[in-house]
Amino acid sequence: MHDAGKVIPGIIIFVVFVTLPFWWNVGKAVPKVEVELPKEYTSCVEDKSFMIREHMKLLDNWRNEVVRNGYGVYVNSKGQTFHMKFQEGCMKCHSSKERFCDRCHNFVAVKPYCWNCHISPEEKKGWATKKSNVETFSKQPASHH
Amino acid sequence: MFEKALVGSKKYYALVFFLASLFLIGLICFIYQMKVGLGITGMSRDVSWGFYIAQFTYLVGIAASGVMVVLPYYLHNYKEYARLVIFGEFMAIAAVIMCILFILVDIGQTHRVMNVALHPTPNSVMFYDMIVLCGYLMLNIICGWTALSAMYKGTKYPKWVKPFIYLSIPWAFSIHTVTAFLYAGMPDRHLWLTAVMAPRFLASAFCSGPALLLILLYIVKTFTKFDPGEKAIKALAKTITYALIANLFLFGCELFTAFYSGIPAHQHSLIYLFAGLEGHNKLVPWMWTAYACMVIAAILLVIPQVRNNLQLLPFLCLLVVIGTWIDKGMGLVIGGFIPNPLHEITEYMPTLPEVMISVGIWALGFLIVTVLYKMVISVMESRRLI
Amino acid sequence: MGNKKIKRRNFLKAAGFASLAGAWAAATAGFLSGQRVKAQAVKPTPNSLVAGRWALVIDTRICAEHPECRDCIEACHKWHNVPRFPDKQHEIKWIWKTHFHNAFPYQSHEYDNEDVKKREVIVLCNHCEHPPCVRVCPTQATFKREDGIVMMDMHRCIGCRFCMGACPYGARSFNWLDPRPYIKEPNMAYPTRMKGVVEKCIFCFDKLHEGKLPVCVRACKYGALTFGDLADPHSKVNELLRKHFNIRRKVNLGTGPSVFYII
């Protein structure tokens, strides 16, 4: 091989660099993510392990069924029925986005944009007090050319 | 071959640096647009497409026009174009990339753009637009790059490229036809709702594209040893002349239909563009400039002594480029939205960040052209072809 | 030179096979561990309102008696968190009032009777039988339901605004900016939209699921709006249409609007 003296150290440096996160964290305890579960309920629409693993697919499925296919009710694996609602469904039990959704999402660094449109329980409390510097303006006149 | 693009004169580096900085300014404006939203542009509820889509439309035409040198060379064996073909193809590559970027900066949810491929929708013209644009980009990369490699190696281009070259000819027509169908298929937008939309698009493309190509070749000729050849230039000038006249003729057809039939809906957008409607007349000076440029260029190009005057020709080409650019890159898209479906008038002018983003994309296009043309010239020099 | 080339080719082959094997292994692993979405059942909401083709009949004579009334508009915009932008250019509206000659251009003329001339009418999405917006949408973000409602899937919209150009009724609005700061009193039971998507009236499909009529219809205290099934000959809407002279917007375009105006 040409330039073995440069190529081999190069490969070694590359491998070390790529695996750096593993070396960095070796021997350290894995931080535990604790999400706050609703106190008054013991079960979700499906069992816990399914929800942890598949909640994003379930939610995606729900929104398609509601918005695109016109269904409103979900029948779970035990035959129980639930209204497929997010803001007015899921978040009624999981009454905090910050202490439930965000704790895990922040840890795994994902940023789902549900909350760009759906109003989180926190915002429900905060919106009214939020100062809006938006121009107030009265009834819009009928359009005229 | 790419190494040829890395070494050059001071002037070459200066041009690359200048274009790259313009692109960066555009990029900064685009980041601002991503943060705030398309509200930073001049577009509105009534004029929902603006400068970006108009540039896209114009550039699809530039991309398609590559065929005006490819077709005579490969189908009619017109040898004079032998050295021009690659320049035409490389200009098409840059134009298609600019088209794609103008679409990307125009859509509201940029990161969702792949939805067009994830949920293919054959009833939408935009679906076909995506296919033809990506296809045309691939075809030109394949044809242009193999031709350049062949030149580099001092051989003829490989046989397997032939089918791709032949395919690229109807494909070029298809990209601009599909783009015209984006507009011509909308009910109640009378400026666009016309069967001659696609022919008109092609006519304006086949005059503006070769005109831009000729200007670029003149610039290349000034700074390098490359000479496209008198015969090739004169032939290209003929193409420009015919296409420009066809473009003006088709516009005349539009005027006839609208004003002889006397149907108000057909007239309103045209009146808005050329005379102003109900006191709104922001585009009137632009439109008269556009048609003055095109008509003057057409008259002068028809006269053989003027057309064959190689000193004058680049200025006539400039008139063609300016005229067609205003006509298609401003008037056609914006005029179609005025008046709106409720017969109200909202005018439109691009904002500064909007213009800067557009300038950035144009700069990137010119950068791509610069680098690709530099490679061609260097390969030609190393092979002692010039 | 030649030797090197073959080596490269072999390398590429090997790399190709390796990635294929990797993809296969990943797929199999997923299959064996049972990590697939279980097929779950969904069903329609009980007592949801259903129809063959939903339609809205607007009695403009009743509206004309109450020129100041904007109840339907305000109720709709409040419920659906429609923002109010100070700048007309960014305006978002699902339902609004406009002059007769704006709603029906090329249909009104200078000899219209005085009453019609100054009449303001309510305009909104027409939920067309052959909607041009659906035809042009490249992602099926807007689509027609079986009951005739032209729906918007804001989750899928890429914001290309092709639908806005195609709609001959100007019924669609785009979120040029983040709408949230412009919603003064949000309805916490309904989502907002985000910047970069198109929105419009969706005939309150969610209210229909709950067995309720659309918000605008319920807000009208004068009974000017009638919502019902056009496919059912005995429905209230059909009864009204049989009895009274009515028009639709721009029928010459062949879109087949489902919103009717009694004049």
Side-chain angles (χ1 to χ4, degrees):
Chain A
M1 200 200 288
H2 301 293
D3 297 322
K6 284 175 195 164
V7 172
I8 292 168
I11 290 173
I12 292 170
I13 289 169
F14 175 76
V15 168
V16 169
F17 187 73
V18 165
T19 53
L20 196 64
F22 298 100
W23 304 118
W24 198 267
N25 287 315
V26 136
K28 283 183 195 163
V30 181
K32 212 171 167 201
V33 184
E34 272 186 53
V35 295
E36 197 177 282
L37 295 172
K39 288 167 190 86
E40 59 270 49
Y41 304 94
T42 48
S43 65
C44 198
V45 294
E46 294 288 352
D47 63 52
K48 195 176 167 184
S49 67
F50 178 89
M51 290 312 288
I52 290 174
R53 210 173 54 221
E54 307 274 344
H55 66 278
M56 59 297 265
K57 287 179 191 164
L58 181 101
L59 288 172
D60 182 39
N61 195 26
W62 276 25
R63 72 178 183 190
N64 284 332
E65 293 296 354
V66 174
V67 175
R68 306 194 68 85
N69 304 336
Y71 293 106
V73 172
Y74 175 76
V75 187
N76 76 0
S77 45
K78 291 178 199 130
Q80 298 161 303
T81 57
F82 298 88
H83 283 286
M84 288 188 279
K85 289 185 167 184
F86 178 59
Q87 198 174 311
E88 294 294 297
C90 307
M91 302 317 285
K92 282 273 139 99
C93 303
H94 298 284
S95 56
S96 171
K97 164 189 168 262
E98 275 157 28
R99 291 191 301 272
F100 182 69
C101 314
D102 287 355
R103 289 231 175 123
C104 199
H105 289 164
N106 288 345
F107 177 69
V108 293
V110 292
K111 280 186 194 128
Y113 50 76
C114 315
W115 312 106
N116 287 359
C117 296
H118 292 278
I119 303 173
S120 69
E122 280 83 355
E123 275 168 312
K124 284 187 186 183
K125 286 170 211 144
W127 200 304
T129 57
K130 210 189 279 176
K131 256 199 193 154
S132 79
N133 51 357
V134 179
E135 232 175 275
T136 47
F137 86 132
S138 54
K139 280 173 189 171
Q140 281 172 291
S143 50
H144 199 293
H145 70 238
Chain B
M1 280 182 301
F2 191 71
E3 75 277 4
K4 303 276 187 203
L6 298 176
V7 281
S9 64
K10 275 218 174 81
K11 274 182 195 156
Y12 170 71
Y13 287 129
L15 181 62
V16 167
F17 181 76
F18 172 69
L19 292 172
S21 2
L22 278 184
F23 172 69
L24 278 180
I25 294 171
L27 190 66
I28 291 164
C29 291
F30 176 63
I31 292 167
Y32 169 59
Q33 180 185 292
M34 287 288 275
K35 276 231 147 41
V36 179
L38 280 160
I40 65 153
T41 69
M43 289 185 274
S44 61
R45 192 182 192 276
D46 289 337
V47 185
S48 47
W49 280 346
F51 208 57
Y52 297 147
I53 291 296
Q55 300 311 300
F56 155 79
T57 308
Y58 185 73
L59 284 163
V60 176
I62 299 291
S65 74
V67 78
M68 286 289 106
V69 285
V70 172
L71 190 147
Y73 177 61
Y74 286 106
L75 290 192
H76 301 287
N77 203 19
Y78 185 67
K79 290 274 195 287
E80 299 299 329
Y81 281 174
R83 296 200 299 181
L84 256 61
V85 168
I86 198 163
F87 289 98
E89 284 166 339
F90 280 174
M91 185 176 78
I93 290 177
V96 179
I97 291 173
M98 288 157 81
C99 287
I100 292 169
L101 290 177
F102 272 115
I103 292 285
L104 282 180
V105 299
D106 186 71
I107 61 177
Q109 285 291 322
T110 319
H111 62 282
R112 285 187 188 166
V113 68
M114 288 314 287
N115 278 3
V116 181
L118 282 174
H119 309 286
T121 312
N123 50 275
S124 174
V125 186
M126 214 171 270
F127 170 71
Y128 297 98
D129 216 28
M130 175 192 72
I131 293 173
V132 291
L133 277 182
C134 295
Y136 195 63
L137 180 62
M138 287 317 295
L139 283 173
N140 275 289
I141 289 176
I142 291 170
C143 300
W145 198 259
T146 45
L148 185 62
S149 317
M151 201 195 293
Y152 186 62
K153 290 178 201 144
T155 57
K156 206 173 176 305
Y157 57 83
K159 262 201 181 133
W160 60 265
V161 201
K162 262 276 153 96
F164 289 102
I165 292 167
Y166 289 139
L167 182 63
S168 80
I169 292 169
W171 204 286
F173 286 85
S174 82
I175 62 166
H176 218 28
T177 305
V178 171
T179 309
F181 285 176
L182 286 176
Y183 296 96
M186 295 193 200
D188 219 33
R189 300 277 182 194
H190 290 276
L191 190 66
W192 304 333
L193 188 68
T194 158
V196 299
M197 197 83 236
R200 214 180 135 196
F201 267 34
L202 288 169
S204 93
F206 294 155
C207 60
S208 57
L212 186 63
L213 182 63
L214 256 187
I215 294 173
L216 291 173
L217 289 176
Y218 265 91
I219 296 171
V220 172
K221 194 184 158 196
T222 313
F223 289 99
T224 70
K225 282 181 277 177
F226 175 77
D227 187 355
E230 203 177 312
K231 266 190 158 170
I233 293 177
K234 284 180 178 171
L236 210 50
K238 275 190 200 115
T239 305
I240 297 168
T241 312
Y242 279 116
L244 180 60
I245 291 168
N247 188 32
L248 289 169
F249 168 72
L250 289 168
F251 175 67
C253 295
E254 295 283 13
L255 288 181
F256 173 79
T257 307
F259 291 96
Y260 192 80
S261 72
I263 300 172
H266 287 290
Q267 299 168 359
H268 281 141
S269 292
L270 288 166
I271 294 174
Y272 168 72
L273 287 175
F274 288 92
L277 198 60
E278 290 160 24
H280 302 276
N281 49 17
K282 273 190 188 168
L283 284 180
V284 174
W286 290 90
M287 292 315 288
W288 283 102
T289 311
Y291 277 85
C293 287
M294 285 193 278
V295 170
I296 293 168
I299 292 168
L300 292 175
L301 281 168
V302 166
I303 306 164
Q305 290 87 341
V306 183
R307 185 179 62 240
N308 292 333
N309 181 335
L310 297 188
Q311 266 73 48
L312 211 57
L313 190 59
F315 297 100
L316 296 182
C317 288
L318 202 60
L319 279 184
V320 175
V321 170
I322 293 169
T324 49
W325 180 77
I326 298 173
D327 183 32
K328 222 164 162 186
M330 288 284 284
L332 188 98
V333 175
I334 294 145
F337 287 107
I338 301 170
N340 81 356
L342 285 96
H343 228 261
E344 299 153 331
I345 296 173
T346 307
E347 291 201 276
Y348 164 88
M349 268 292 149
T351 59
L352 183 66
E354 193 177 2
V355 171
M356 286 321 294
I357 291 172
S358 306
V359 168
I361 295 174
W362 274 97
L364 184 72
F366 277 114
L367 185 62
I368 293 168
V369 164
T370 306
V371 168
L372 291 176
Y373 280 17
K374 169 73 175 61
M375 284 162 58
V376 176
I377 297 295
S378 300
V379 168
M380 281 178 170
E381 276 172 351
S382 71
R383 283 275 144 202
R384 301 191 191 289
L385 293 169
I386 46 174
Chain C
M1 180 79 186
N3 193 25
K4 239 184 195 171
K5 228 180 197 168
I6 290 162
K7 268 186 185 163
R8 185 164 67 183
R9 178 169 296 173
N10 283 340
F11 170 74
L12 287 175
K13 269 186 193 164
F17 277 121
S19 46
L20 264 181
W24 172 80
T28 319
F31 180 75
L32 290 177
S33 65
Q35 287 200 5
R36 285 165 301 151
V37 203
K38 282 182 248 167
Q40 261 96 21
V42 286
K43 54 184 191 185
T45 322
N47 56 36
S48 66
L49 298 177
V50 287
R53 180 180 168 192
W54 287 115
L56 180 68
V57 177
I58 300 169
D59 194 331
T60 64
R61 298 169 305 180
I62 300 177
C63 291
E65 287 167 24
H66 311 279
E68 288 307 307
C69 175
R70 273 167 176 71
D71 289 354
C72 55
I73 301 165
E74 269 156 26
C76 167
H77 285 185
K78 176 136 187 37
W79 174 263
H80 295 113
N81 284 327
V82 174
R84 280 191 167 189
F85 286 96
D87 194 345
K88 195 174 177 297
Q89 149 184 32
H90 300 144
E91 195 180 21
I92 291 178
K93 44 192 181 187
W94 288 25
I95 173 170
W96 70 101
K97 254 188 178 183
T98 188
H99 296 282
F100 185 79
H101 62 261
N102 290 121
F104 300 94
Y106 310 117
Q107 210 163 324
S108 61
H109 53 86
E110 64 259 51
Y111 303 109
D112 274 332
N113 83 23
E114 286 301 316
D115 176 39
V116 170
K117 246 186 206 171
K118 58 175 190 242
R119 192 175 291 181
E120 284 190 338
V121 294
I122 296 157
V123 289
L124 67 158
C125 169
N126 279 285
H127 298 275
C128 302
E129 198 179 355
H130 308 289
C133 54
V134 170
R135 200 181 307 141
V136 301
C137 177
T139 60
Q140 294 150 51
T142 193
F143 58 95
K144 201 178 131 201
R145 292 169 29 128
E146 275 174 23
D147 58 5
I149 295 180
V150 176
M151 262 299 285
M152 257 319 287
D153 185 348
M154 321 278 185
H155 303 112
R156 191 182 282 187
C157 176
I158 62 169
C160 71
R161 310 189 296 292
F162 202 176
C163 56
M164 291 176 78
C167 175
Y169 305 104
R172 293 177 160 268
S173 309
F174 181 72
N175 285 275
W176 299 100
L177 301 166
D178 179 12
R180 285 203 165 177
Y182 301 92
I183 304 167
K184 268 186 39 198
E185 291 161 355
N187 168 20
M188 298 302 181
Y190 198 84
T192 68
R193 264 72 57 199
M194 62 171 159
K195 67 169 192 279
V197 294
V198 171
E199 61 182 86
K200 69 167 194 84
C201 159
I202 46 177
F203 259 2
C204 290
F205 84 103
D206 49 334
K207 288 279 155 204
L208 298 174
H209 282 188
E210 290 171 16
K212 291 177 188 160
L213 287 172
V215 173
C216 56
V217 177
R218 278 183 297 141
C220 181
K221 51 182 178 283
Y222 305 111
L225 307 179
T226 311
F227 191 75
D229 187 359
L230 201 62
D232 171 11
H234 305 296
S235 68
K236 187 83 191 296
V237 290
N238 269 316
E239 197 182 302
L240 282 172
L241 295 178
R242 271 197 302 270
K243 243 197 288 193
H244 304 283
F245 174 69
N246 64 83
I247 54 175
R248 292 187 285 175
R249 295 172 71 195
K250 300 185 181 175
V251 277
N252 58 320
L253 302 176
T255 53
S258 300
V259 176
F260 297 79
Y261 294 86
I262 296 175
I263 302 299

